[in-house]
Amino acid sequence: MVAVGTLLTLAVAALASLFMAWAIGAGSSGSTPFAPAVGANAISVMRAGFIVGLLGFSGAILQGANVTNAVGTELVGGVTLSVTAAVIALLTAAILVAIGVFAGYPIATAFTVTGAVVGVGLAMGGDPAWPKYQQIASLWVLTPFVGGGASYATARALRSERFSEAATVPVLAGIVGLLVANMEFAGLGADGSSASIARASAVDLAGVGFGESVWFVASMLFVGVVAGAVVTRWMRTDPVRGQRWFLLVLGGLVAFSAGGSQVGLAIGPLVPLLDAVAVPLPALLVGGGIGLLAGSWTGAPRMIKALAQDYSSLGPRRSIAAMIPSFAIAQTAVALGVPVSFNEIIVSAIIGSGFAAGGAGVSKRKMLYTVLAWIGSLVLAFGLGYGVFTLVSSVFPV
């Protein structure tokens, strides 16, 4: 039976996690997915905040397990986070993110949470998880170059007179369809585990004939062709409206992916504590998803406006170019179980598409401040997490 004091401490940890989830929903996961769509006047700020909240909640439940487990158990070796350590890490990161939300600057949530968790873990006497740090650092460093470069190339193709938008946009939709076919969802696997649409279909159809690999490829191509055909019809009916509809679909996919990744930043530190209260991980994911939803509905509109208007004056073509690589990077991070900053993903892609138009509307001063905020949030979160836990543990036994 759990002692009353332990339950009270766990309640404080849960409240800290809920606050963190709200801050994430108001910041990175709530603001970034539809910022390009708002910048292209495809959707209003308030409607974007409402929709992104619902999609982020769904993503948290269906795709949140990988990053949640990574944040909770893979960032520090040799120790298990205590309740006090989880509370300090969550409050440290949440306060920094909330400051960014109200100040109008996109603090990188993944940087703050990772820094805070590693800080308290090392303060507890844990060992650095160097292989995981290398994996995380590689994705963080590559994101601006891969995302920005792919966004730049896509925007150039859409602006080129050699390619017709009526053909280019459906081809891009087909590529997105291939990515969707490989998205993993909880419960699609034969044993109740996670699996992609293509993999689950291949397993079900393998008994009909041919091999599982053949059906896997066929399932991917089918989803890609359907996606391309739908967008082709949109473009033939009304090219301008077709681009905006496609952009809204992309925003929805990124919002869903944001929920699957960012919920782990809020509830990951609680994973080591689940055994004490026998709470299953799916229930924890639901709680984190509710926090994201609340943050998206109450705090995201301010950041949506800041990202959409301050970084680049976007049109539908540049916005599409920004969202496709963002979706691809987000799903890669979810599959690998790597905490990733959606602010970094989206901002890099927006800047890349902006430079494709000669750098129009891209604020270099804002870019510099943003990068400094990312680096500073990581260092500050680590220092505060380590220092506060060391101070608390010297006064109270933890």
Side-chain angles (χ1 to χ4, degrees):
M1 186 172 180
V2 182
V4 174
T6 302
L7 284 176
L8 290 176
T9 309
L10 287 170
V12 173
L15 289 175
S17 177
L18 187 62
F19 176 47
M20 185 67 208
W22 176 89
I24 293 173
S28 58
S29 74
S31 63
T32 51
F34 275 96
V38 172
N41 296 318
I43 189 172
S44 67
V45 172
M46 297 306 296
R47 185 173 296 179
F50 177 77
I51 295 175
V52 78
L54 295 176
L55 292 171
F57 175 78
S58 301
I61 297 173
L62 296 175
Q63 287 196 317
N66 280 357
V67 176
T68 298
N69 286 321
V71 173
T73 62
E74 299 178 14
L75 293 181
V76 180
V79 298
T80 299
L81 291 184
S82 65
V83 178
T84 302
V87 171
I88 292 174
L90 287 167
L91 286 179
T92 298
I95 290 172
L96 291 176
V97 172
I99 290 174
V101 170
F102 293 115
Y105 281 93
I107 299 297
T109 309
F111 291 5
T112 57
V113 174
T114 302
V117 170
V118 172
V120 298
L122 295 183
M124 289 181 65
D127 301 319
W130 293 117
K132 192 65 177 180
Y133 300 162
Q134 292 173 1
Q135 187 184 46
I136 293 172
S138 296
L139 186 61
W140 287 358
V141 172
L142 288 175
T143 290
F145 299 99
V146 175
S151 177
Y152 175 86
T154 304
R156 292 285 293 181
L158 288 171
R159 291 172 59 85
S160 176
E161 296 181 356
R162 295 186 300 171
F163 304 101
S164 169
E165 286 185 353
T168 304
V169 175
V171 169
L172 294 174
I175 295 173
V176 172
L178 296 178
L179 296 174
V180 170
N182 283 281
M183 291 172 62
E184 292 194 352
F185 300 91
L188 280 186
D191 57 351
S193 61
S194 298
S196 66
I197 296 173
R199 181 60 62 190
S201 300
V203 172
D204 291 339
L205 295 172
V208 177
F210 303 106
E212 185 176 318
S213 59
V214 174
W215 285 115
F216 176 74
V217 174
S219 299
M220 283 198 306
L221 293 176
F222 175 77
V223 176
V225 169
V226 170
V230 170
V231 175
T232 296
R233 183 173 181 180
W234 291 349
M235 293 296 293
R236 289 178 178 176
T237 302
D238 187 334
V240 175
R241 183 176 295 180
Q243 289 183 40
R244 290 181 175 176
W245 283 353
F246 182 39
L247 181 57
L248 290 176
V249 171
L250 290 172
L253 290 171
V254 173
F256 181 88
S257 303
S261 173
Q262 303 294 280
V263 71
L265 301 175
I267 65 176
L270 298 182
V271 170
L273 316 179
L274 295 182
D275 291 339
V277 290
V279 175
L281 181 58
L284 194 63
L285 290 172
V286 171
I290 292 174
L292 295 180
L293 178 67
S296 296
W297 285 359
T298 59
R302 176 184 177 89
M303 287 300 295
I304 291 175
K305 184 177 180 180
L307 282 174
Q309 298 182 2
D310 291 350
Y311 284 94
S312 185
S313 301
L314 301 179
R317 291 180 297 182
R318 285 165 58 188
S319 298
I320 289 172
M323 296 301 282
I324 293 176
S326 298
F327 171 53
I329 294 174
Q331 280 301 312
T332 299
V334 169
L336 294 175
V338 173
V340 64
S341 168
F342 269 76
N343 283 327
E344 182 188 16
I345 292 173
I346 295 291
V347 169
S348 300
I350 289 176
I351 291 172
S353 65
F355 277 114
V362 176
S363 171
K364 295 182 179 179
R365 182 179 181 183
K366 186 74 171 183
M367 289 166 51
L368 176 61
Y369 285 160
T370 300
V371 172
L372 292 177
W374 290 342
I375 298 173
S377 62
L378 174 64
V379 175
L380 184 59
F382 174 83
L384 287 175
Y386 189 97
V388 172
F389 183 85
T390 301
L391 178 62
V392 171
S393 62
S394 67
V395 178
F396 304 100
V398 295

